[in-house]
Amino acid sequence: MADFSNAIKIPQDSKEKCRSIFLGQENSAEFSLVSAPSRALFGSGIRQDFPILKQKINGKRLVYLDSAATSQKPKVMIDALKSYYEKYNSNIHRAIHTLGEQATEEYESTRKKVAKFINAKSEKEIIFVRNTTEAINLVAYSWARNNLKAGDEIILTIIEHHSNIVPWQQLQENGIKLKFVDVNKNYELDLKQLENSVTKSTKLVSLTHVSNVLGTINPISEIVKIIKEKNPDAKILIDGAQAVPHLKVNVLELDCDFYAFSSHKMLGPTGVGVLYAKEELLKEMKPFLFGGDMIKKVGKFETEFNDLPWKFEAGTPNIADVIAFGAAIDYLENIGMENVHTHEIELTKYALEKLSEIKDIEIYGSKDAKQRGGVIAFNIKGAHPHDVAQILDGEGIAIRSGHACAMPLMKRLGVESVCRASFYIYNYKKDVNAMIKGLKKVKKVLKL
Amino acid sequence: MTLDIYAEEIIDRFRNPHNFGAIESADFEAEEYNPLCGDRIKLQIKTHDGRLTAKFSGHGCAISQASADILCGEIKNKQISEIENLKDDDVTKLLNIPITGTRLKCALLGLWALRSALKNGS
């Protein structure tokens, strides 16, 4: 078994306490009341579980505000990875030996955890891939290329990440048309335009759950209803890369057909992504890649493919990282996704307030923290995002700068690039304060 | 350490470039674009009796803009034979600041424009 002895265990009553203790209130009375589970407290408490946060960058405390790119990793996840390699490393599914059985059990147990985490009907609906991008490509290759014909339409939105645009652009060579839904002045999706875009020819609507630039949380349930009412046959794919790490996602309730996300943005290792799809769709779909684990029986000229979900997992999978991903899910489950979301709303609200006080700053996205994830994109007049990021780095602060893999959205916003700060469970007010101080330094250095 | 990249000279050149502008009927010109950050530099060169003047326009980070400005200064009064083989290292030496891998493209955008311009002709 993976060694989870370091995993945080939070009794039910202290989970309740967690809800009311946010943002690094180290000295609050409540903090001292909660002794053992105090490590589970957001910000200051939780930071102790993340070894990387203990180091100094350029002589300064590391202030990591780039979790939308990839999250940092808790020790329990790193330990699970190490434990697999040190104690039961072996290939899975066909090994008749102790190590192989243990590895298979752990690998498949992560699948069950993922299914439960996003409330899928069955673990057969959970396909492990490398990342969100590959999950979307799987749908583009296995489903879209076999089911769409010239004249069919795919609807996307202007706020999509490149990974949810480029795979669909490739289908244009087969005569498939792309349509884009715009945002309104509050940076929310124009639902009226979306409704009007859906026609009998619409075969797929593929959109993000949470924007990786604007932070906007799209009302997916409502959107699914709008689409299905106009065209019940249209399929819906949700890019959940920025949602699953931060919100409680319930795919059954959302009623989408496909849902894609990545482990590395939710405390897990790189190299693991998930495609959820309704079982009846997966049954009909042809495999994406061929060979290895996706096979049941092979003759010289023909092959019988494996059952779901393995039909879509060719070759030896990323065993170690999938197992460690399970430890990351356990960690998040212990904290509770509602608590994660509440913490991020609080922090985003605080950051929006503080950032707004800076002169000549433009913040993109809704000003209402409740309408958005913990992602804030901004620009300071006269300061190029690369210069901002570089000067902040000198202060130990990591933010993202550039087009954030959303060039069509940049064009829509009328900018070349943005600065982006993003938060997660280990961030606290102190990090926001450091960034604000850093931004003042940016202005000083650039003589703005 | 990191702040050395924003040396006084770089910031001054960024804020008040000496060679920003356009040349009418330039003999050589080219524009280079870095899609990663959106930086854009157009470099124009004119010859007078075999001696050069250069100007740049565009937008971008402090490093790309200051570097283009310094490069234009370097080209001034030179002959083509003196600048046509400028190396990456020559430009980073002119800048005299520590350039890390991720910022090298910023620092060299002007040089790329110079190379394209000489290749294009007018």
Side-chain angles (χ1 to χ4, degrees), chain A residues 88-282:
Chain A
Y88 58 100
N89 171 58
S90 62
N91 213 328
I92 53 170
H93 289 151
R94 285 170 307 279
I96 312 293
H97 55 67
T98 307
L99 299 187
E101 277 179 18
Q102 192 177 345
T104 304
E105 197 182 304
E106 289 292 331
Y107 179 86
E108 291 303 332
S109 103
T110 297
R111 200 190 305 277
K112 290 190 186 102
K113 285 174 191 175
V114 171
K116 185 170 159 275
F117 194 67
I118 61 167
N119 198 32
K121 256 190 210 161
S122 143
E123 63 253 31
K124 286 181 192 167
E125 299 178 321
I126 304 300
I127 313 292
F128 288 123
V129 290
R130 281 184 303 157
N131 43 45
T132 306
T133 304
E134 187 177 308
I136 295 171
N137 272 275
L138 196 162
V139 179
Y141 275 90
S142 294
W143 179 80
R145 279 188 189 268
N146 293 311
N147 287 285
L148 271 58
K149 56 180 192 312
D152 286 345
E153 295 167 358
I154 295 176
I155 298 178
L156 307 172
T157 85
I158 198 69
I159 67 174
E160 298 310 312
H161 186 284
H162 294 162
S163 293
N164 195 23
I165 297 175
V166 183
W168 311 118
Q169 285 176 344
Q170 308 317 306
L171 300 177
Q172 292 178 118
E173 65 191 25
N174 302 337
I176 289 148
K177 287 185 190 142
L178 302 186
K179 286 179 173 175
F180 285 86
V181 177
D182 202 2
V183 286
N184 63 23
K185 62 179 189 331
N186 297 324
Y187 301 99
E188 297 151 355
L189 273 190
D190 185 339
L191 296 186
K192 199 75 214 158
Q193 194 194 15
L194 171 71
E195 189 179 350
N196 292 335
S197 304
V198 178
T199 68
K200 288 239 161 357
S201 304
T202 303
K203 289 287 150 68
L204 176 74
V205 181
S206 190
L207 78 157
T208 190
H209 195 160
V210 176
S211 162
N212 72 315
V213 177
L214 304 171
T216 322
I217 302 170
N218 286 322
I220 299 299
S221 291
E222 191 186 341
I223 288 171
V224 170
K225 277 190 198 97
I226 290 172
I227 297 163
K228 297 273 178 183
E229 229 160 70
K230 281 210 72 181
N231 181 350
D233 296 329
K235 301 287 179 276
I236 297 157
L237 185 153
I238 306 299
D239 170 357
Q242 300 293 344
V244 182
H246 308 282
L247 319 166
K248 180 72 198 153
V249 170
N250 183 334
V251 289
L252 264 186
E253 219 172 82
L254 295 176
D255 196 30
C256 55
D257 299 286
F258 304 102
Y259 197 103
F261 59 101
S262 295
S263 143
H264 74 95
K265 291 191 202 287
M266 50 188 290
L267 312 180
T270 53
V272 180
V274 172
L275 173 69
Y276 155 84
K278 285 180 178 166
E279 193 177 339
E280 60 264 32
L281 277 167
L282 287 174

Side-chain angles (χ1 to χ4, degrees), chain A residues 58 378 387-399 434-440 442:
Chain A
N58 295 316
F378 61 92
D387 292 326
V388 176
Q390 179 117 40
I391 295 167
L392 288 182
D393 181 59
E395 303 299 303
I397 303 161
I399 64 156
M435 174 175 69
I436 300 297
K437 201 174 156 201
L439 290 174
K440 284 177 185 156
V442 167

Side-chain angles (χ1 to χ4, degrees), chain B:
Chain B
M1 265 289 289
T2 326
L3 277 186
D4 289 345
I5 188 171
Y6 295 103
E8 202 68 15
E9 161 93 356
I10 297 293
I11 298 300
D12 287 346
R13 292 276 193 163
F14 169 54
R15 303 288 294 158
N16 303 298
H18 306 174
N19 303 300
F20 190 90
I23 295 176
E24 267 185 47
S25 55
D27 296 310
F28 302 93
E29 66 174 49
E31 187 174 72
E32 284 292 338
Y33 173 60
N34 181 356
L36 286 178
C37 50
D39 287 13
R40 202 177 280 278
I41 283 172
K42 183 177 183 179
L43 199 113
Q44 295 180 299
I45 299 171
K46 199 164 178 63
T47 51
H48 295 281
D49 304 327
R51 297 284 161 183
L52 306 176
T53 51
K55 284 200 183 290
F56 80 100
S57 55
H59 55 83
C61 66
I63 307 304
S64 72
Q65 301 300 294
S67 172
D69 194 49
I70 289 169
L71 182 65
C72 287
E74 180 67 15
I75 293 169
K76 206 173 178 180
N77 291 328
K78 293 254 168 65
Q79 298 179 29
I80 288 190
S81 58
E82 293 174 86
I83 56 145
E84 63 188 352
N85 292 319
L86 271 181
K87 306 261 184 308
D88 294 1
D89 280 355
D90 298 330
V91 172
T92 50
K93 267 180 210 148
L94 279 174
L95 287 174
N96 196 28
I97 51 171
I99 294 285
T100 53
T102 48
R103 299 307 295 277
L104 197 60
K105 278 182 182 167
C106 313
L108 297 178
L109 195 60
L111 179 63
W112 294 351
L114 170 66
R115 286 175 183 156
S116 302
L118 295 178
K119 213 163 119 191
N120 289 348
S122 54

